[in-house]
Amino acid sequence: MKLLHLDSSILGAHSVSRQLSSEIVAREITLHPGIEVIYHDLAADAALHLSGAHMAVRQGAALEDTSLGNDIAKGDAYVEELIAADIVVIGAPMYNFSIPTQLKAWIDRVAVAGKTFRYGADGPEGLLSQSKKLIIAAARGSVYAAGTPAAAYEHHDSYLKGLMSFLGITDITVIRAEGLAFSTEAKEASIKQALNEIAALAA
């Protein structure tokens, strides 16, 4: 088995999403001894944002920039890792109501027509195996649940779930710590609840 672990917080050791994603991976290792873990810290080593130059090369233009070539190779590796993974764990904090741009850059490199999805006569079809499991470690300062005043601003884990469902993954779990900016007590309680949910994850 293979597990793909992605972190995207810029806060390093102070990151709640990193704390949660690490605990999730530890839990999955316990449930699946011997599982191979592939890790990327997207905040420390992000792919370039998708550009016209990337698209031109994909359409057959000559590759004349070494750095662009290296970045395209990185994106190709991302796709192969995602296809090969049995479990995907994504640490995703909320920045300005959505995901970090570093994580969006990864998404733009793995959402590839003909590789992870395709368009057919009946519309789009995800090409990733439905046997894959995705676990999102989400962290955010406010509360965005349905019915709350901030619900309309939530373009965070709902976006990730929608995108990965589009690519074919249907087994999706969100471990969420929110209201982290309300108070120290609220933060501690939310993290504790999230850790309890992680401890209860089943194989």
Side-chain angles (χ1 to χ4, degrees), residues 30-61:
T30 298
L31 293 171
H32 306 284
I35 191 170
E36 177 185 351
V37 177
I38 299 169
Y39 177 70
H40 291 296
D41 184 340
L42 300 178
D45 183 26
L48 298 176
H49 288 291
L50 196 62
S51 69
H54 287 87
M55 300 303 292
V57 171
R58 291 300 189 198
Q59 297 300 318

Side-chain angles (χ1 to χ4, degrees), residues 11-178:
L11 298 181
H14 301 288
S15 165
V16 172
S17 67
R18 286 176 182 268
Q19 177 186 355
L20 298 183
S21 75
S22 178
E23 290 292 334
I24 292 167
V25 171
R27 175 62 177 167
E28 292 299 328
I29 291 173
T30 298
L31 293 171
H32 306 284
I35 191 170
E36 177 185 351
V37 177
I38 299 169
Y39 177 70
H40 291 296
D41 184 340
L42 300 178
D45 183 26
L48 298 176
H49 288 291
L50 196 62
S51 69
H54 287 87
M55 300 303 292
V57 171
R58 291 300 189 198
Q59 297 300 318
L63 177 59
E64 300 175 350
D65 185 327
T66 300
S67 62
L68 178 62
N70 291 337
D71 191 68
I72 288 174
K74 175 184 284 188
D76 291 343
Y78 285 165
V79 172
E80 296 307 316
E81 289 167 354
L82 179 58
I83 291 172
D86 300 287
I87 302 170
V88 181
V89 177
I90 299 178
M94 175 187 271
Y95 294 159
N96 298 315
F97 309 127
S98 190
I99 61 173
T101 60
Q102 294 90 340
L103 180 53
K104 181 58 166 63
W106 177 85
I107 287 170
D108 286 342
R109 309 307 288 280
V110 300
V112 180
K115 291 282 190 178
T116 54
F117 75 95
R118 65 185 172 199
Y119 288 105
D122 298 322
E125 175 188 359
L127 297 179
L128 295 180
S129 171
Q130 292 188 359
S131 66
K132 289 185 190 297
K133 178 166 65 174
L134 169 64
I135 307 174
I136 300 168
R140 48 209 198 190
S142 191
V143 175
Y144 298 85
T148 64
Y153 301 112
E154 197 280 294
H155 310 289
H156 178 221
D157 58 56
S158 62
Y159 167 73
L160 284 174
K161 289 188 292 183
L163 184 283
M164 299 305 273
S165 295
F166 178 84
L167 299 183
I169 300 178
T170 57
D171 185 352
I172 301 175
T173 301
V174 179
I175 304 294
R176 187 183 299 110
E178 60 180 354

